[in-house]
Amino acid sequence: MSELVIPGMPPDHFETRAAFHEAVLQGLASAQREILLADGTFTHWALNRPDVEAILRTFFHASRVNRLRLLTTADNHLLCDTPRLARVARDFSHAFAARITPASINEAFTLKFSLLVVDRSRLVRRFHPDQMRGIAEFDPLEAEAWVDRFESVWHESGPGLATTTIGLSA
């Protein structure tokens, strides 16, 4: 897969899990300000890999204003199967936010949203939640259209994936 950071390049299409994961890694590694993640459950994403944790830590250490926002219909997989992501979320809770979509839009969200948007200009998107086929491209206009959709769902959604613990421990 070619680099994701060159404007004007034709989009890269992927059809395998490995190619999808590579596109996500490249996208995350290119982030300089903002990461938006959206998926119904994130079960097909490799968010518990050590290299993902390292990339996210580097991203958050690069600037205090860097942010990651995540949308999902259910955070069960993220809570149970991604302890590395949970550590990053806890360690950078000031810059990491997650929300769960309301039940009224879950079906539509799940069918349309499986994407990563980086700095409002880079996009990695699967075409269907049950398939690995998708596209990785540097196209600020296309990415901005998905950011607008993300923002509208974000504002309808409620809190999810608690990044801090409150209370007394024994």
Side-chain angles (χ1 to χ4, degrees):
M1 184 168 288
S2 63
E3 286 298 314
L4 190 62
V5 295
I6 302 171
M9 278 193 70
D12 284 331
H13 295 270
F14 53 83
E15 295 191 14
T16 66
R17 184 179 304 264
F20 169 62
H21 291 169
E22 182 61 27
V24 169
L25 284 175
Q26 287 181 9
L28 291 173
S30 72
Q32 296 180 3
R33 182 75 174 212
E34 177 185 52
I35 298 171
L36 305 178
L37 290 165
D39 191 79
T41 62
F42 286 100
T43 56
H44 296 296
W45 295 64
L47 295 178
N48 198 46
R49 292 172 42 162
D51 48 356
V52 170
E53 180 180 18
I55 288 169
L56 292 177
R57 287 183 180 283
T58 299
F59 168 73
F60 286 125
H61 283 297
S63 174
R64 292 174 50 183
V65 298
N66 287 356
R67 298 290 181 261
L68 184 151
R69 292 188 294 155
L70 182 145
L71 268 174
T72 188
T73 60
D75 59 1
N76 298 353
H77 169 71
L78 295 171
L79 291 169
C80 298
D81 299 329
T82 61
R84 286 184 168 94
L85 181 66
R87 270 196 307 265
V88 170
R90 183 191 65 234
D91 294 348
F92 298 95
S93 60
H94 65 284
F96 187 108
R99 290 199 177 177
I100 296 179
T101 59
S104 61
I105 65 167
N106 280 355
E107 186 176 337
F109 176 86
T110 301
L111 291 175
K112 293 180 182 177
F113 285 84
S114 184
L115 61 96
L116 159 69
V117 180
V118 176
D119 298 331
R120 297 179 181 253
S121 60
R122 294 166 192 83
L123 175 69
V124 176
R125 182 173 67 90
R126 287 185 16 235
F127 299 135
H128 192 276
D130 296 331
Q131 299 174 359
M132 289 296 115
R133 291 183 54 244
I135 192 169
E137 63 184 329
F138 185 104
D139 182 348
L141 291 176
E142 181 70 17
E144 193 61 36
W146 284 99
V147 169
D148 291 345
R149 292 176 185 143
F150 182 96
E151 294 292 353
S152 67
V153 175
W154 182 265
H155 293 294
E156 291 183 44
S157 301
L161 190 67
T163 58
T164 59
T165 55
I166 298 174
L168 301 174
S169 58

